[in-house]
Each structure stands twice: as structure tokens, then as C-alpha cells.
Amino acid sequence: MELDKDFNLIIGLRIREVREVLNMTREEFSEKCNISTSFLSAVENGKKAITTKTLCKICNATNISADYIIYGKHEDFETDMIIEMLHSMEPKARGYAVRILRDYIEAVNNLTPLK
């Protein structure tokens, strides 16, 4: 049973990380994911486990891969977070952010190493 507690805590901490990166309160996050705030609190603290249905709700609402929440795979986590942040912006602000990102990526790609 101790393994289950550890697993629940790890999952809960990853969900909390997602929520904090999105700069959301528990209330905002639970509303977005259609789960109760008290349940989210219990999950984040490792006191309750989530079902696959709840995992799907969280992943769909936040555009985060289940691979990150279950296995901690960071490969696409930052990309998923940026996409979710862009989705949460007003259209005009999103356009500005996309232009800034595009210009930044172009500048980084054009950098030449110093000799």
C-alpha cells in the first residue's frame, strides 16, 4: 500500500505543477477541469487517486500529455504549457505573443557562434 501512496503523491505533485505553471488557483483549475476543489486538493496532497476519467478531464482541459502526469516525461511538457498559456489569452494578446515567439525563434536560429 505504501507504493500506492507514493504514486498518488507523485501524480498529485505533477498536477499541482501544471496548475502552478498555468498560474491558476485550485478553484480556477478545478472549474476548468470540471472537478471539485476539495478533490483537487486531496489529489495534489496525495490523499486521493485519480481515475482515468479524471486524468482525461485534466489533460483535455489543460492540453497536457497524460505521459507527463503519469510518467513525468518532460519532452513535450514545456511546449504543452506554452500552447495552453496561448490558448488562455485574449485573441489580440495571443497574436502579439505569437509574433514575439516567432521573432525570438528566428533570432535564435540566426545566431552565429562567437569565435
Side-chain angles (χ1 to χ4, degrees):
M1 280 302 171
E2 193 64 32
L3 183 60
D4 288 342
K5 285 183 180 181
D6 291 344
F7 184 72
N8 290 345
L9 182 58
I10 290 167
I11 297 298
L13 291 173
R14 289 184 187 136
I15 291 170
R16 178 182 293 164
E17 180 183 19
V18 168
R19 178 179 62 79
E20 289 175 349
V21 168
L22 292 174
N23 200 27
M24 298 177 88
T25 64
R26 279 194 179 126
E27 291 77 18
E28 292 167 334
F29 190 84
S30 60
E31 185 177 321
K32 182 176 181 85
C33 298
N34 196 26
I35 58 177
S36 76
T37 304
S38 59
F39 178 70
L40 176 61
S41 177
V43 167
E44 287 185 352
N45 290 305
K47 294 178 181 169
K48 290 203 175 191
I50 60 172
T51 63
T52 52
K53 182 178 181 180
T54 302
L55 177 63
C56 286
K57 284 181 179 183
I58 292 169
C59 292
N60 287 332
T62 61
N63 292 314
I64 299 301
S65 167
D67 281 347
Y68 173 70
I69 293 174
I70 296 171
Y71 302 111
K73 292 185 178 180
H74 280 274
E75 289 84 21
D76 294 323
F77 178 69
E78 282 129 358
T79 303
D80 290 346
M81 294 308 305
I82 290 169
I83 290 169
E84 180 55 27
M85 286 185 263
L86 288 169
H87 279 273
S88 68
M89 298 173 82
E90 295 294 323
K92 187 173 183 179
R94 185 180 317 121
Y96 293 139
V98 168
R99 271 184 273 183
I100 290 167
L101 284 169
R102 189 178 298 129
D103 291 346
Y104 177 77
I105 291 167
E106 184 179 328
V108 168
N109 287 338
N110 290 327
L111 285 177
T112 55
L114 297 175
K115 294 181 182 185

